[in-house]
Amino acid sequence: MDERLRSESVELLSQLIRFNTVNPPGNERAAQEHLAAHMTAAGFECELLGRTPERPNLIARLHGEQPGPVLCLLSHVDTVLATPGEWSHDPWSGDVHDGFVWGRGALDMKSQTAAEAVAACSLARAGWRPARGTLLLVSLADEETGGGDGARWLTANHAEKVRCDYLVNEGGGGIIDYAGRRIYCLGCAEKGVFRFALHTSGVAAHASMPRLGDNALLKLAPLLERFAARQPSYHLTAEPRAFLEAIGALEPDGDAAAALARVGALEPRLVPLLEPMLGVSLAPTRVFASEKVNVIPSQARLVVDCRVPAGLGEAEALAAIAEVLAGEDGYRLEWTERVMGNRSPIESPMADFIRGWIARQDAEAICAPVVLPGFTDSRTFRDAFPQCTAYGFFPHRVRTRFETDPLIHGADERIDVRDLEFATGFFRDLAVGLLGG
Ligand SMILES: [Zn+2]
């Protein structure tokens, strides 16, 4: 790629990092206005739309000559917080040092915002227009706290402005070196969230005479031990099955546990990344009991974060909980959050394009579908526009997920300049590949 595009991507990313958009409160306006000016100068029609003036979303459009599909390059410009004392560069410096751009958002996900914008602007400035359809760039506010001012607000209030047929967002494109080959992860699905509380009850009493009461907190102990001992059995859905098959780890019997053991023997670092894709996960995270140190609690509550693969729901979550807590009773289960995961087809024209593009860059590489254990704005867009194919894909070339995953939401978040350049080239080729011209 030419030097000008690389330096434009690096410069735009540094500038975006310097706008502090830690959410809450987000305060994305200055960053969005900066981006809008960049896009407008290149020939895009831009609109800033927000629930509040401080937190607009940017929609930038480039129309083609004929009607046709809409390709949306999506991202968000808010970030999680950063603790400067833990960093070796100021998190809002956007420093370029040692071949990296440093700062909060360098991976999640101002890098993708910058790469998408520079790709789109460079095409538009050169006079390119879609042969058919529309190129849309949407930069959102408020992803990190759930999208109430971002994706959810925008799709509910201005659906016609962001309706799209193809969408590319965060949640994929990272690389894994495994058994001498490179795997590109294509984010096709996101797990659902089925959080719950387990309640126990007893009898309150003075804590100086414990036998006068019946301690509800102690009744959580056997439940916690069950969660410590095991996870539910694996439940292989289409995406992890395709992933394990693509890397040659799954035998015809479809035994996911055996496949994971095979993977672990070759590359133990892959196990914690892969295992959440294979089924329902249960993670107890909070306990509440007595308000007072000298009162035996009559009520106690254990809160569990439960994630369920796309395509599965409450019935599978209940089965997983029953399996792990088998034989235990004396508790009451209360759902606190139930949101289904969702997915896009593994096979699509966009998947074909991505696989072909990867093959041209690296003939030996594999492109395999993955399930994101968490969730992104893609879920909101898939729900709002069921015909839309949405993937997470920000391709890296140099740094593997073993290096980049721990930096996301962590200290010293940074991106290799060569990876930023690689992704910028990809978004350019994707726009031309899907929209022609
Ligand atoms: Zn993100």
Side-chain angles (χ1 to χ4, degrees), residues 100-381:
F100 292 94
V101 183
W102 296 71
R104 179 55 85 221
L107 291 165
D108 180 13
M109 63 173 299
K110 289 173 172 174
S111 47
Q112 188 160 348
T113 310
E116 289 174 351
V118 170
C121 287
S122 68
L123 286 169
R125 283 195 304 257
W128 175 85
R129 294 293 179 274
R132 54 197 187 88
T134 300
L135 177 61
L136 201 59
L137 181 136
V138 176
S139 159
L140 295 169
D142 195 31
E143 191 272 346
E144 297 291 355
T145 60
D149 283 357
R152 287 195 287 125
W153 181 84
L154 199 59
T155 54
N157 292 279
H158 297 282
E160 290 318 308
K161 297 190 180 203
V162 292
R163 183 180 298 282
C164 51
D165 302 287
Y166 301 110
L167 179 140
V168 63
N169 184 26
E170 65 182 330
I175 49 177
I176 294 165
D177 285 334
Y178 174 77
R181 295 178 81 180
R182 172 148 292 188
I183 308 164
Y184 280 83
C185 298
L186 178 62
C188 294
E190 301 185 1
K191 290 178 88 170
V193 180
F194 283 74
R195 296 183 172 129
F196 61 91
L198 298 179
H199 296 266
T200 53
S201 53
V203 177
H206 199 291
S208 64
M209 294 177 283
R211 281 177 188 273
L212 292 184
D214 179 19
N215 193 327
L217 178 58
L218 294 176
K219 296 179 183 178
L220 290 179
L223 307 181
L224 274 167
E225 278 176 7
R226 292 304 187 101
F227 288 120
R230 62 166 299 181
Q231 286 287 335
S233 302
Y234 299 130
H235 189 140
L236 214 51
T237 49
E239 298 83 9
R241 180 177 295 278
F243 182 92
L244 291 171
E245 282 170 353
I247 67 170
L250 195 66
E251 295 290 317
D253 63 7
D255 185 338
L260 191 66
R262 251 172 242 123
V263 169
L266 284 175
E267 178 49 90
R269 291 178 300 173
L270 187 47
V271 171
L273 305 185
L274 184 53
E275 190 175 24
M277 289 172 38
L278 305 183
V280 175
S281 70
L282 297 170
T285 51
R286 309 180 80 186
V287 169
F288 302 88
S290 183
E291 296 288 324
K292 299 278 282 178
V293 70
N294 61 352
V295 176
I296 300 281
S298 60
Q299 302 291 327
R301 176 161 54 105
L302 173 66
V303 179
V304 182
D305 193 341
C306 169
R307 307 292 177 120
V308 177
L312 309 183
E314 184 177 332
E316 289 82 4
L318 280 172
I321 296 162
E323 183 190 3
V324 169
L325 295 182
E328 297 296 335
D329 52 16
Y331 64 83
R332 177 174 63 83
L333 184 146
E334 175 203 14
W335 292 114
T336 55
E337 202 175 333
R338 274 174 290 186
V339 183
M340 293 285 286
N342 66 19
R343 53 168 42 132
S344 290
I346 295 173
E347 296 301 330
S348 72
M350 184 156 64
D352 289 342
F353 176 86
I354 289 172
R355 277 193 295 262
W357 190 86
I358 293 298
R360 290 194 292 282
Q361 313 300 318
D362 180 354
E364 296 296 304
I366 304 165
C367 187
V370 296
V371 180
L372 203 69
F375 61 89
T376 72
D377 289 324
S378 296
R379 188 165 71 195
T380 306
F381 276 73

